[in-house]
Amino acid sequence: MSSTGSAISSDGIFSSLANRSYRLLWWSGLVAFLAVGMQLLARGWLAIQLTDSNTGFAIVLLCFGLGMFMVTPFGGVAADRFSRRNLILGSHWSLFLSALWLGLMVLLNLEQFWMLLVASYIQGASFAFMGPARLAIVSELVGPELVSNAISLTQLTVSSTQTFGPALAGVLADVPSFGLAGVYLLSAALTALSIIPVLMLPKGASQARHTASPLAEIAEGLAYVASQPFLRVLVLSTTLGLLMAMQYLAFLPKYSESVFGVGALWLGILQGANALGGACVALRVAKMRDNEKLERLRISSLSVVVVGIAALAVTPNQFVALPVLFVLGGAATGFQTANLSLPLLLSEPVYHGRVQSLVMVALSSQALVALPVGTLADQIGLREMHGLMAVGVVLVLAYSWFAGNAVRRKSYT
């Protein structure tokens, strides 16, 4: 743990940024997540152009999710074995190359659907290594007293860049001389720029000497989570919550086109409203230091998600959808921030990488069901699908409340 991080006051919203190493990590994330935010729109819009269906876009999300799901457990082991700085660095290089390749293909009018699938898988695998390493290194840099603050500030970069990134990509994609090719190439350039702050971080060393196989260490991490009652509930409810709730973002490109009848610009604005709500909540959560408050945040946020998804199911047009998505984005960010902070606070440091990898598997699991859910949406309609999602989140909320309440007092330190 960084001695600098230990000495920082834990009162302010931006306390963690007083730590130089975390500040470098934060700036790197800000630029990289901006590039990712731009690709959120580009990926969805390109998929719709190539396939004109929810199913086609769902297959793209499935490839991204498979990349994360299959590789993340090994990413967690790597984060507990090797230099986390080097893992982040390698992930950024991979994201840069995949964006550059796809941008050049679109520029040359050579893009094909399979290319989008391959690039999505590579990006998912890159996040599988970057996610556990980036989350685990936070506690190492700032200390446990500022973990929730640092995680919230990281979520702030995600939300704020997803406000500006999709909106910028939507504007640029509508410019004939720029288009989707320019969006992808600009995203690649930003990803390359994000590598510089990572190079300035301390090189770090392997976390420990390990003799067990990666599979054995994955099993050890699973056994550890299973032995901790609240961690077990946390991982399971996170997985179920994301499976049921976060599909609304996957449907937004097709929802914008077929239900609201708008183009890429409005898609970027709607995604931006969703992310802006997330940024506002992230600022609020940055001052939370108490485990019990974070757990209450999980439950209250999930309750608002239920209302937001149900409201989206009956939203008449894009103008009404703006405030709905703003509130929904804030609630989703609150839920995810709590789910990322609590495992670091409640687990032993030696397991941080593997515990975070399980949370990342939960994040990736939403893409794994994108294909069957997308196919079902094509059959029954997008509005009806959102109604079913709201019902599913109600069930997850009930489980989170009753199961969490049963073990909360035993789990808090």
Side-chain angles (χ1 to χ4, degrees), residues 99-359:
L100 178 64
W101 171 58
L102 200 53
L104 290 174
M105 293 300 98
V106 177
L107 180 65
L108 298 172
N109 293 318
L110 297 175
E111 73 275 17
Q112 296 183 36
F113 187 56
W114 70 265
M115 296 178 182
L116 189 56
L117 301 183
V118 171
S120 296
Y121 184 90
I122 292 173
Q123 290 166 355
S126 300
F127 274 98
F129 280 101
M130 181 177 69
R134 182 176 282 274
L135 290 169
I137 203 175
V138 165
S139 180
E140 178 185 329
L141 294 178
V142 304
E145 66 276 10
L146 287 176
V147 162
S148 61
N149 175 261
I151 294 293
S152 296
L153 292 179
T154 298
Q155 288 298 105
L156 177 62
T157 65
V158 174
S159 298
S160 60
T161 54
Q162 286 182 0
T163 300
F164 183 66
L168 176 62
V171 171
L172 294 176
D174 266 358
V175 177
S177 60
F178 203 87
L180 284 178
V183 171
Y184 271 111
L185 292 176
L186 178 57
S187 175
L190 289 171
T191 307
L193 184 63
S194 74
I195 293 172
I196 297 174
V198 181
L199 290 171
M200 298 170 66
L201 287 172
K203 289 187 177 180
S206 299
Q207 303 304 307
R209 182 172 183 146
H210 296 262
T211 56
S213 69
L215 290 176
E217 289 191 46
I218 292 172
E220 182 185 359
L222 288 170
Y224 173 75
V225 170
S227 69
Q228 306 296 314
F230 188 76
L231 281 178
R232 186 172 63 242
V233 172
L234 179 65
V235 171
L236 182 56
S237 63
T238 298
T239 302
L240 293 173
L242 293 174
L243 281 174
M244 297 294 178
M246 297 306 290
Q247 297 298 327
Y248 80 91
L249 286 175
F251 291 133
L252 199 52
K254 190 63 178 175
Y255 213 96
S256 300
E257 183 197 47
S258 62
V259 177
F260 297 151
V262 296
L265 177 58
W266 259 106
L267 173 59
I269 293 172
L270 292 172
Q271 288 179 327
N274 182 83
L276 181 59
C280 293
V281 169
L283 279 173
R284 177 69 177 173
V285 177
K287 296 193 73 171
M288 288 188 179
R289 305 289 190 272
D290 183 79
N291 291 0
E292 190 170 354
K293 288 182 179 179
L294 287 170
E295 169 58 8
R296 287 201 298 267
L297 175 67
R298 291 183 69 246
I299 301 300
S300 61
S301 297
L302 199 56
S303 301
V304 177
V305 167
V306 172
V307 177
I309 292 177
L312 198 60
V314 296
T315 298
N317 54 55
Q318 69 271 26
F319 300 104
V320 179
L322 279 174
V324 172
L325 285 167
F326 177 84
V327 174
L328 192 51
T333 295
F335 182 67
Q336 292 186 55
T337 301
N339 290 330
L340 292 172
S341 299
L342 283 168
L344 287 174
L345 293 169
L346 299 174
S347 62
E348 299 175 35
V350 69
Y351 291 105
H352 276 176
R354 281 165 286 179
V355 171
Q356 288 298 334
S357 73
L358 291 177
V359 179

